[in-house]
Amino acid sequence: MEPLKIADKEFDSRLFVGTGKFASNTLMAQAIEASGTQMVTVALRRVDIENENDNMLAAIDRQKYQLLPNTSGARDAVEAVRLSRLARAASGIAWVKLEVTPDPYYLLPDGQETLKAAEILVKDGFIVLPYINADPILAKKLQDVGCATVMPLASPIGSNQGIKTKAFIEIIIEQATVPVVVDAGLGAPSHAAEAMEMGADAVLVNTAIAAANNPVEIAKAFKIATEAGRIAYETGIAPKSETASASSPLTGFLRNE
Amino acid sequence: MSAILKINGTKKTFDEGLPPTLSELLNNLEIDAAMVVAEIDGEIIERKSFAQTELKEGMAIELIRFVGGG
């Protein structure tokens, strides 16, 4: 498999893993390890000053896994920029998964505010990976303002519905000059493989791993599926046909005609 | 002399007076400075400056940390 290049960094794994919703930090660390990922997303929230705070970062080996802080919770560009700058101060790295989701029910991204925030953040030196609706025009605009990737959604975040936006993601893949990361809604390893076969450069999975019966085993399945899909894309899939095409020879049958 | 800070949106009263610096506030709250980032009145405070950051009555302080997320 070719390595994935984002900004000036190369990744051997094309599976990014989200760290939300795990039952424990230990389970999260084991699932991350099993997934083979090299990039994990994290969120920023207020410290609870009345209770003890769990330090999830301690469970992530920063030498092996690059952090990708997200701006989840941001409802507009101003909030997303503020969260990005806080994340940079907290992590020491200027990579950000930009997400602006004003609607709490479907968590769909606001393209206009995302573009506004992306312009500010790119100028401020950030490596910006924006989470977007599968909108090819918006993807192009984000690419033009200097985003390092585009991350179109397959279906609503955490819904595990698979790739409902296929036709539009295909257009984005065809047109993009930056890596396309299919994010949100990939619920099964087959969905990840499908995205990779379509030519996506990477996939991001969180809920489908964290909420599975056995996150470590399913993380392994996602790793294999992502690799299988990528290899198939790189080597090419045999063409489809409307009619049958026998796999066995059509001569030498054991009958008299 | 009691003093007030607004921490993460909630007013907190310090009956013995304010902790003099941000580092001492974190000690006082038993929060590990290594895992937080702070913002005072909208300005981000780098971790290396926590010990030099003096606190004043009425400041709005945000203490933020990483949590699991997608």
Side-chain angles (χ1 to χ4, degrees):
Chain A
M1 283 196 312
E2 293 167 20
L4 166 65
K5 193 159 184 239
I6 299 178
D8 58 354
K9 228 179 143 171
E10 282 197 358
F11 299 88
D12 294 321
S13 167
R14 290 173 178 269
L15 171 62
F16 304 157
V17 175
T19 59
K21 300 181 185 169
F22 282 94
S24 72
N25 286 342
T26 309
L27 198 56
M28 173 191 77
Q30 289 169 346
I32 288 173
E33 172 84 43
S35 75
T37 190
Q38 291 169 307
M39 183 138 75
V40 295
T41 59
V42 289
L44 275 180
R45 290 292 181 271
R46 279 175 164 168
V47 169
D48 178 353
I49 63 166
E50 301 300 337
N51 297 293
E52 200 175 324
N53 290 272
D54 149 74
N55 185 7
M56 59 85 67
L57 273 197
I60 298 173
D61 179 351
R62 302 269 307 266
Q63 302 299 318
K64 280 173 77 176
Y65 311 110
Q66 159 144 3
L67 287 189
L68 179 60
N70 70 31
T71 63
S72 65
R75 293 164 301 180
D76 57 30
V78 172
E79 289 182 3
V81 169
R82 180 185 178 203
L83 279 165
S84 302
R85 288 177 176 153
L86 283 164
R88 179 171 59 185
S91 68
I93 57 162
W95 287 54
V96 67
K97 174 184 164 184
L98 174 61
E99 48 179 301
V100 182
T101 53
D103 154 41
Y105 193 62
Y106 291 108
L107 292 172
L108 292 172
D110 181 328
Q112 231 173 344
E113 294 294 310
T114 303
L115 181 59
K116 220 190 287 178
E119 284 190 271
I120 296 168
L121 291 168
V122 169
K123 283 193 188 121
D124 198 8
F126 279 88
I127 307 293
V128 182
L129 291 76
Y131 167 64
I132 57 169
N133 222 312
D135 174 350
I137 304 291
L138 176 63
K140 174 128 192 353
K141 286 182 180 175
L142 286 160
Q143 176 183 297
D144 290 346
V145 302
C147 287
T149 65
V150 287
M151 306 217 291
L153 61 87
S155 51
I157 293 176
S159 70
N160 292 340
Q161 291 176 36
I163 309 177
K164 299 293 186 192
T165 54
K166 186 167 183 172
F168 303 98
I169 291 182
E170 282 172 340
I171 298 171
I172 293 174
I173 290 169
E174 181 198 321
Q175 296 183 337
T177 56
V178 293
V180 177
V181 183
V182 175
D183 181 11
L186 300 176
S190 57
H191 300 155
E194 183 184 7
M196 297 309 294
E197 284 174 11
M198 284 160 58
D201 294 279
V203 291
L204 198 162
V205 180
N206 185 349
T207 301
I209 294 175
N213 284 334
N214 186 332
V216 179
E217 284 298 299
I218 208 79
K220 201 192 299 171
F222 268 100
K223 173 186 195 285
I224 296 166
T226 305
E227 289 173 0
R230 179 65 193 182
I231 293 168
Y233 171 74
E234 284 181 13
T235 191
I237 294 169
K240 273 186 192 172
S241 154
E242 289 297 314
T243 57
S245 164
S247 307
S248 311
L250 291 176
T251 54
F253 291 124
L254 282 72
R255 62 185 181 229
N256 301 319
E257 294 194 22
Chain B
M1 186 193 78
S2 76
I4 289 173
L5 291 174
K6 197 171 176 190
I7 304 176
N8 289 354
T10 308
K11 279 185 182 156
K12 188 165 172 67
T13 306
F14 294 82
D15 293 331
E16 312 287 311
L18 286 186
T21 65
L22 186 54
S23 286
E24 284 169 81
L25 171 68
L26 294 173
N27 283 339
N28 183 313
L29 296 172
E30 296 179 15
I31 293 168
D32 177 5
M35 62 177 265
V36 299
V37 61
E39 195 186 63
I40 298 185
D41 295 333
E43 289 282 315
I44 294 172
I45 312 293
E46 299 283 341
R47 200 172 288 131
K48 60 179 189 286
S49 312
F50 284 4
Q52 290 82 50
T53 303
E54 292 175 15
L55 302 184
K56 295 189 184 68
E57 169 80 20
M59 278 178 162
I61 301 177
E62 290 284 340
L63 299 173
I64 296 142
R65 65 186 178 118
F66 281 121
V67 298

